[in-house]
Amino acid sequence: MGYSREVYDSAKTKLERRRTDAQTRASNLRDKMINKHPRIREIERDMASAAIRVAQAVLDGGDVDNAVEKIKTQNLSLQAELAELLGKEGIHAPNFEPKFTCPVCKDTGYTNRRMCECFKALLREEAFSRISYMGMMKDCSFDSLRLDYYSTAPDSGTGVVPRKKMKEVISFCRSYAEDFDLQSPSLLLRGATGTGKTHVSLSIARKAIDRGFGVIYGPVQKLLHQLEKEHFGREQGNSEDIMLECDLLILDDLGTEFSSTFYISCLYNLINSRMLDGRPTIISTNLDQNELTDMYGDQISSRVIGTFVPLTFIGRDIRQISARDKIQRTNSF
Ligand SMILES: [Zn+2]
């Protein structure tokens, strides 16, 4: 995937910061330790002179092997002495080598002239974070989902108990997130406003990101608006490529955006292309099947209805219940 210059520069800056931070931490620690144990400076000096002493032994002739062996033994004992000194100070490292985030490339981003996996991951993270609305994720996780916001009283029409039903739905979604991979199915989260669809979507996103997958999450309106700006040249970027190629695309609140021919064709392209490529997508919406067809036409609705696993969210508006809870708690102080 190609990245914009901005994304590349930003990832490179982060990498450089990692490297210099690791070097600074190591150098500060060394200064502190030398200050406390001046013997460390002598140990370092003796170890550094080993190469010269080896060269000298060769020049001097005689029993070179024996001389080299002796220097080696001395060096090992110096290393052990340094490690012991550091150990006494609670530092469990043999020396003052910087501890890089990526030991493979030492935070340079390249190994054997090839881009290191850590740099690729940073580029992906950077590109995704520019498109996604992950700021909304801060408090969203499966652990912060409150089942007690769902009623235990059966629905008068269907007889379904919201809390029981939602326990099953949430448990399914939790397993989906924990086991997510590129073979996972696409999901259609359906239900009225405030029944927890966004919270669950964000919790899945968080879990999948923590497990190393590239996830784009966003309210449909905002994601499509971004594509529109780029398509008509008002902004530069390759958001469409990223939305097509990310491991998991989460389109939240489908049906609340302004309807336009451009938006519908973007949506069709995203859903259809990802489906053909076998990439999972999650859509949340409060539209039923007929409304979905009325708003987007058969092409989109038949793909979504035919290939996405449907999950129905029920209950009263948990956002209102949560807000009421907060007010009651505040009043009780
Ligand atoms: Zn690396």
Side-chain angles (χ1 to χ4, degrees), residues 1 83 85 113 136 141 157 176 184 217 228 258 300 315 326:
M1 194 193 295
L85 263 173
R113 295 194 188 159
M136 297 172 70
S141 71
Y176 178 90
S184 293
Y217 162 87
E228 190 179 30
F258 303 114
I300 290 182
K326 275 184 194 147

Side-chain angles (χ1 to χ4, degrees), residues 102 104-107 109 116-119:
C102 175
V104 177
C105 70
K106 295 189 164 57
D107 295 345
C116 182
E117 289 304 318
C118 73
F119 196 10

